[in-house]
Amino acid sequence: MNEVEFNIRLYLTGVMKSWSDRIDNTDQLTPQRFILSAMTELFDSLSEDEIEMIRLRYMKGLTLSEVASRYSISERTVRNHTNPTVKQVKEIIARAKKNELIDRKEEIECQ
């Protein structure tokens, strides 16, 4: 399982929120809270069908072909509905990592 799949699973199962709350109970924007907030915004913008397609692909492990047959659509259509979200999750993770590195650099410079 790669980092994107892992984060999608954490988000869809609700584990990401409970971990974020446990890791940091302040209102500071930590990398974990940034990812949670950005993914909440992203998934709130999706249709129920798009969320279900992502759930089938990344939680149930169905192939593109299996998801397509459940919806009676082509694999290309499944890709068109899921790939933009996966790409955005990758970007969210990359931004969180970049922000964390910047925060650490500033913390070191202040010492």
Side-chain angles (χ1 to χ4, degrees):
M1 176 183 328
N2 66 34
E3 189 174 39
V4 171
E5 292 176 44
F6 180 70
N7 278 279
I8 288 172
R9 285 179 180 214
L10 285 178
Y11 181 80
L12 290 175
T13 59
V15 171
M16 183 179 284
K17 179 165 180 11
S18 66
W19 279 2
S20 293
D21 290 344
R22 223 178 279 161
I23 290 170
D24 178 27
N25 59 6
T26 69
D27 287 332
Q28 291 182 335
L29 190 61
T30 62
Q32 295 82 8
R33 287 216 180 276
F34 172 81
I35 292 172
L36 175 63
S37 175
M39 287 189 63
T40 298
E41 186 176 323
L42 172 62
F43 278 83
D44 284 350
S45 73
L46 301 176
S47 71
E48 289 297 319
D49 283 341
E50 289 169 326
I51 292 171
E52 186 59 20
M53 285 182 207
I54 291 167
R55 188 182 321 279
L56 292 171
R57 288 278 293 138
Y58 294 98
M59 303 230 4
K60 301 287 186 187
L62 271 59
T63 64
L64 283 171
S65 177
E66 291 168 327
V67 174
S69 68
R70 283 195 180 199
Y71 281 87
S72 300
I73 57 178
S74 70
E75 289 180 32
R76 176 173 293 220
T77 302
V78 173
R79 258 190 236 107
N80 289 342
H81 283 281
T82 58
N83 282 2
T85 302
V86 172
K87 182 180 177 189
Q88 287 179 319
V89 170
K90 286 179 187 177
E91 291 168 359
I92 289 167
I93 294 167
R95 278 188 304 202
K97 286 180 177 180
K98 182 179 176 184
N99 291 344
E100 184 176 32
L101 290 174
I102 290 169
D103 289 347
R104 285 187 181 168
K105 182 180 175 188
E106 288 173 356
E107 189 176 293
I108 291 170
E109 288 173 353
C110 289
Q111 292 178 353

